[in-house]
Amino acid sequence: MSPTLLLVAALLGQGEPSSPQALCLYKGELYATTTIAQEYADSRWVVRARATAQTDSWTDAGPEYDEAPWTTYRIEVIEVFKGDAPRVMTVFTERNSGGFYLEPPYERFDPSVEYLLFLNPTNVRTDHPPEARGTARVNYNCGQSRPWLDVPLTELSALLTLAR
């Protein structure tokens, strides 16, 4: 087994696939650098959206949920680049080092900030709260999803080419 895979297995707790994954893993690679094209191919929906509501769970979610805090965001889809995204969606994320947040660190979310989001349906695990059902989640929390104004023009051009 490669040193990277050994590290990942040790950090994730071998034999516990339902434990929270507080790392940035992309197809087995720790802290991978992805491209717009890779994440576009991996995602069911690619959208420009803004968060209109945020619900945090900072209290114990209970032992059946591994006491992991989580957040859901209600998002309004402004533009669709891939998929048949509904106008309003709910995005789920754990509150850990691998989470994707639609607000700046230590601040409240700002409904005027737009995001480029690469989304997939949430694969609900046994340690997820019931609120995770029927939601979407960011394809790769350390990848190409980001505030819309932070998308470089070259990457926006690549996205528009893919969306044709």
Side-chain angles (χ1 to χ4, degrees), residues 126-138:
T126 58
D127 61 338
H128 280 154
E131 290 83 357
R133 285 178 179 60
T135 65
R137 68 181 307 136
V138 170

Side-chain angles (χ1 to χ4, degrees), residues 89-149:
M89 301 175 75
T90 302
V91 174
F92 173 84
T93 189
E94 290 99 354
R95 284 283 178 181
N96 59 34
S97 61
F100 186 86
Y101 312 120
L102 297 177
E103 80 273 358
Y106 310 109
E107 296 180 29
R108 293 185 177 189
F109 82 100
D110 180 348
S112 69
V113 176
E114 296 177 1
Y115 291 85
L116 172 61
L117 298 173
F118 293 81
L119 301 169
N120 282 309
T122 301
N123 292 327
V124 179
R125 301 184 319 243
T126 58
D127 61 338
H128 280 154
E131 290 83 357
R133 285 178 179 60
T135 65
R137 68 181 307 136
V138 170
N139 176 58
Y140 174 46
N141 295 336
C142 299
Q144 297 295 323
S145 292
R146 63 182 80 180
W148 182 253
L149 293 178

Side-chain angles (χ1 to χ4, degrees), residues 36-118:
I36 292 281
Q38 286 173 312
E39 289 206 50
Y40 188 91
D42 291 345
S43 302
R44 180 180 290 181
W45 306 288
V46 179
V47 301
R48 180 169 56 108
R50 71 175 144 254
T52 59
Q54 174 181 342
T55 302
D56 293 313
S57 170
W58 292 103
T59 61
D60 279 356
E64 68 272 27
Y65 305 121
D66 213 12
E67 299 181 8
W70 48 268
T71 295
T72 57
Y73 299 97
R74 182 181 170 161
I75 64 168
E76 175 188 353
V77 173
I78 299 164
E79 188 172 4
V80 177
F81 299 101
K82 180 181 179 184
D84 191 18
R87 181 164 157 63
V88 175
M89 301 175 75
T90 302
V91 174
F92 173 84
T93 189
E94 290 99 354
R95 284 283 178 181
N96 59 34
S97 61
F100 186 86
Y101 312 120
L102 297 177
E103 80 273 358
Y106 310 109
E107 296 180 29
R108 293 185 177 189
F109 82 100
D110 180 348
S112 69
V113 176
E114 296 177 1
Y115 291 85
L116 172 61
L117 298 173
F118 293 81

Side-chain angles (χ1 to χ4, degrees), residues 15-38:
E16 297 181 50
S18 66
S19 63
Q21 295 183 1
L23 296 171
C24 289
L25 287 173
Y26 179 77
K27 296 185 177 183
E29 184 180 341
L30 187 62
Y31 300 110
T33 300
T34 59
T35 65
I36 292 281
Q38 286 173 312

